[in-house]
Amino acid sequence: MDVTDSAGRAAYISFIVSLCYCTDYELGYDPTVVWNADKKYWVIKCPDSTAAKDGKVRVVEYYARKQIVEAERIFGRHTRGFAASLNQNMVDEPDTFIKDAWPYESSDSQHT
């Protein structure tokens, strides 16, 4: 993209406008971690660590009031950390630490 000519400037403006219409997922936000504005806590969906006999993956919801580690860096995997609880009534007394990070893309998707 060469912004010194009109086609390059048009492509650059198109790119910036496209960013404005992206979904949160397209912008890189984790869709399994959502802020509940009404109750003022994070809802974090995680796969259940206990294996299901039917082979289906079950989801467990954790609740966290605040982030312990925030992803405000320009570089890196933007790891976030939450002190969380399985019980939403115990959100202010967390007993679990949830690490939310995007893994590096691997050509071997079976071992990610």
Side-chain angles (χ1 to χ4, degrees):
M1 183 179 323
D2 183 6
V3 294
T4 61
D5 63 24
S6 62
R9 287 189 294 275
Y12 178 72
I13 291 170
S14 176
F15 170 71
I16 298 299
V17 170
S18 295
L19 284 178
C20 294
Y21 291 101
C22 285
T23 64
D24 287 346
Y25 180 78
E26 290 170 325
L27 290 172
Y29 290 100
D30 185 348
T32 64
V33 180
V34 179
W35 176 252
N36 183 325
D38 294 335
K39 297 189 178 182
K40 297 187 179 8
Y41 58 60
W42 294 93
V43 178
I44 306 163
K45 295 181 181 179
C46 299
D48 192 349
S49 61
T50 58
K53 293 180 182 178
D54 58 8
K56 294 181 181 177
V57 177
R58 288 178 175 58
V59 176
V60 176
E61 287 187 350
Y62 286 88
Y63 305 93
R65 184 70 67 192
K66 65 178 184 173
Q67 294 182 52
I68 304 299
V69 179
E70 295 185 12
E72 296 180 348
R73 296 161 205 84
I74 295 174
F75 300 102
R77 297 192 312 178
H78 301 291
T79 301
R80 296 186 292 179
F82 300 88
S85 175
L86 274 171
N87 184 340
Q88 69 188 67
N89 296 325
M90 301 292 288
V91 69
D92 292 315
E93 298 176 28
D95 57 1
T96 305
F97 184 80
I98 305 287
K99 179 181 175 184
D100 177 39
W102 288 86
Y104 287 114
E105 185 175 354
S106 171
S107 58
D108 183 6
S109 62
Q110 191 174 25
H111 297 95
T112 56

